[in-house]
């Protein structure tokens, strides 16, 4: 096939190509056309190839220049159309993606759209975090799978210690040299935080540590085998039991209301000395005495105390230089007390009639 090499023939080829380019409606159509226009047997490429047949050098140069210009004109038309089509397609995409905030569900009256909400335990955890953040605490988290060291030994609970009895749990065979288990409380997070603070030289520590815990307990009205705790830890110079009592009382009033108070009663925990149980005014009878609080007017919420020197030694802190307090209590228990939930199992039964109340 012979190709036209004179100015009018080339002009016609460019005009023809430009018309086809302008009428390409989509990027993919344009791509296809570009492939055809640049194929070996496309007229302009044939024209370029036939340049070699022109024997007169001056004429070959002049014709070559014309062919080059024609090809450039076609390429420029392709590029221009490409950028137009890209803009058009982008605009169309944006329109498709736009969120119509005025959209209404037509059948709203007969089939109301139900909005979900956070689970009560999640809401409670967030509310507790808020109270402690307001008091200057940071929020930290630790792993749910722990080693014996973090869950027990560093907390002054050596193998065979009787305190292990109330912390029975699932042991995991992970093929590690250390025993791995599902943590029975959030106290091991204290050890992670203290180790980190010592390694990074960032003492003091003021933190609360919420999270999920596990025990081999049979579920009943006040216990779940998978439950949630929030741990607190303050380690600094000159911290006293008075600071602990003040934080507990401030928290109690802030979270449960000004007519609910706290009291501390002597108790035993291996990782604190002295240790206490903290109780709050019964939220069911407001202190009058009822069945829930065994007529005492008080309900136990958690444990607390001054960090035991053995814990400081386990993480390499000098107990002569630093002191601190810790506390830990159940998040689920808080939800139960604050909302008067008779049976804690309601929290995990997924009965929407219960869940939707919060
Ligand atoms: N870890 C204890 C438990 O689950 C609760 C506890 C008691 C935490 C005393 C503390 C504490 O931080 O000081 O039974």
């Amino acid at each position: 096939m012979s190709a036209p090499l004179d100015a009018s023939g080339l002009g016609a080829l460019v005009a023809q190509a430009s018309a086809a380019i302008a009428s390409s409606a989509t990027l993919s159509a344009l791509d296809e056309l570009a492939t055809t226009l640049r194929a070996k047997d496309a007229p302009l490429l044939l024209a370029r190839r036939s340049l070699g047949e022109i024997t007169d050098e001056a004429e070959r140069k002049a014709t070559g220049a014309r062919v080059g210009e024609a090809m450039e004109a076609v390429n420029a038309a392709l590029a221009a159309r490409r950028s137009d089509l890209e803009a058009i397609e982008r605009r169309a995409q944006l329109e498709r993606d736009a969120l119509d905030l005025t959209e209404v569900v037509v059948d709203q009256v007969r089939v109301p759209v139900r909005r979900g909400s956070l689970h009560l335990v999640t809401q409670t955890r967030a509310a507790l975090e808020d109270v402690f953040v307001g008091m200057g605490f940071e929020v930290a988290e630790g792993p749910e799978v722990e080693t014996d060291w973090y869950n027990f030994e560093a907390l002054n609970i050596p193998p065979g210690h009787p305190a292990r009895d109330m912390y029975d749990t699932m042991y995991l065979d992970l093929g590690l040299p250390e025993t791995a288990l599902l943590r029975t409380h959030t106290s091991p997070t204290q050890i992670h935080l203290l180790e980190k603070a010592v390694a990074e030289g960032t003492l003091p520590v003021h933190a609360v540590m919420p999270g999920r815990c596990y025990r081999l307990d049979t579920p009943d009205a006040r216990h779940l085998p998978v439950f949630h705790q929030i741990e607190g830890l303050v380690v600094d110079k000159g911290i006293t039991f008075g600071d602990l009592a003040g934080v507990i009382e401030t928290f109690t009033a802030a979270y449960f209301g000004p007519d609910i108070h706290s009291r501390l009663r002597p108790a035993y925990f291996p990782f604190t000395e002295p240790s206490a149980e903290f109780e709050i005014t019964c939220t069911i009878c407001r202190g009058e005495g009822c069945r829930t609080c065994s007529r005492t007017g008080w309900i136990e919420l958690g444990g607390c105390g001054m960090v035991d020197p053995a814990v400081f030694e386990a993480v390499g802190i000098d107990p002569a230089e630093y002191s601190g307090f810790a506390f830990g209590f159940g998040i689920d228990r808080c939800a139960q007390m604050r909302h008067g939930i008779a049976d804690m199992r309601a929290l995990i039964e997924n009965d929407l009639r219960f869940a939707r109340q919060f």
Side-chain angles (χ1 to χ4, degrees):
M1 183 179 143
S2 76
L5 293 177
D6 60 337
S8 76
L10 286 170
L13 281 183
V14 171
Q16 207 184 334
S18 300
I21 290 167
S23 63
S24 298
T26 62
L27 278 173
S28 62
L30 187 68
D31 282 340
E32 227 170 88
L33 178 62
T35 311
T36 320
L37 289 173
R38 289 168 182 151
K40 268 202 223 131
D41 57 351
L44 275 175
L45 275 97
L46 290 175
R48 191 172 61 181
R49 204 164 335 131
S50 67
L51 286 175
E53 292 156 18
I54 303 173
T55 44
D56 180 86
E57 193 182 331
E59 194 194 330
R60 190 170 65 238
K61 265 198 177 161
T63 314
R66 275 202 303 277
V67 173
E69 275 164 29
M71 291 178 78
E72 255 169 52
V74 171
N75 282 336
L78 278 170
R81 184 64 183 154
R82 165 166 296 278
S83 85
D84 284 353
L85 286 174
E86 276 171 354
I88 291 169
E89 295 198 0
R90 202 165 35 243
R91 218 175 305 129
Q93 181 67 38
L94 284 177
E95 270 166 30
R96 274 197 299 279
D97 291 350
L99 185 63
D100 182 3
L101 296 175
T102 63
E103 186 179 31
V104 282
V105 177
V106 179
D107 226 4
Q108 212 161 27
V109 180
R110 272 196 300 138
V111 188
V113 176
R114 283 232 170 86
R115 211 174 294 179
S117 63
L118 294 176
H119 189 277
L120 177 58
V121 172
T122 309
Q123 292 181 35
T124 306
R125 171 183 165 158
L128 293 170
E129 284 178 10
D130 276 356
V131 170
F132 285 109
V133 166
M135 292 166 76
F137 285 77
E138 284 177 36
V139 179
E141 282 185 78
E144 290 174 27
V145 173
E146 280 292 8
T147 59
D148 196 86
W149 164 259
Y150 287 100
N151 200 76
F152 295 123
E153 281 192 54
L155 290 165
N156 201 25
I157 314 176
H161 192 287
R164 289 196 179 215
D165 283 357
M166 65 176 197
Y167 297 122
D168 197 8
T169 182
M170 300 269 236
Y171 286 79
L172 308 167
D173 185 0
L174 301 180
L176 297 173
E178 294 162 278
T179 307
L181 48 87
L182 295 181
R183 69 176 175 191
T184 59
H185 49 175
T186 43
S187 302
T189 311
Q190 289 187 33
I191 304 300
H192 288 289
L193 278 196
L194 290 177
E195 282 181 345
K196 187 160 174 265
V198 169
E200 295 175 358
T202 52
L203 283 171
V205 165
H206 307 84
V208 287
M209 299 146 262
R212 195 176 290 136
C213 305
Y214 306 80
R215 285 188 203 174
L216 282 191
D217 276 345
T218 307
D220 67 25
R222 300 201 309 138
H223 299 90
L224 297 174
V226 179
F227 59 104
H228 303 81
Q229 287 190 336
I230 184 164
E231 191 82 12
L233 177 68
V234 170
V235 172
D236 204 342
K237 292 181 177 160
I239 298 294
T240 68
F241 201 91
D243 296 318
L244 166 61
V247 164
I248 298 281
E249 176 64 18
T250 307
F251 151 74
T252 303
Y255 182 70
F256 290 100
D259 58 332
I260 303 293
H261 296 285
S262 64
R263 70 173 185 182
L264 301 179
R265 313 182 81 201
Y268 171 76
F269 295 100
F271 33 92
T272 41
E273 179 60 32
S275 303
E277 256 165 21
F278 77 87
E279 298 186 337
I280 60 165
T281 315
C282 176
T283 53
I284 309 295
C285 62
R286 306 257 138 191
E288 295 278 306
C290 66
R291 263 182 49 214
T292 307
C293 61
S294 310
R295 322 229 166 267
T296 62
W298 295 93
I299 290 226
E300 188 209 326
L301 200 62
C304 60
M306 302 305 289
V307 178
D308 194 292
V311 173
F312 281 138
E313 275 156 18
V315 296
I317 292 177
D318 179 2
E321 195 184 354
Y322 282 94
S323 59
F325 65 77
F327 56 84
F329 55 90
I331 295 177
D332 320 75
R333 190 66 66 79
C334 277
Q336 184 175 32
M337 307 258 167
R338 179 143 153 189
H339 298 283
I341 297 164
D343 192 322
M344 208 185 248
R345 286 170 289 196
L347 291 173
I348 55 166
E349 279 165 354
N350 291 337
D351 185 335
L352 289 176
R353 290 168 303 177
F354 172 79
R356 284 205 183 104
Q357 295 176 64
F358 308 103

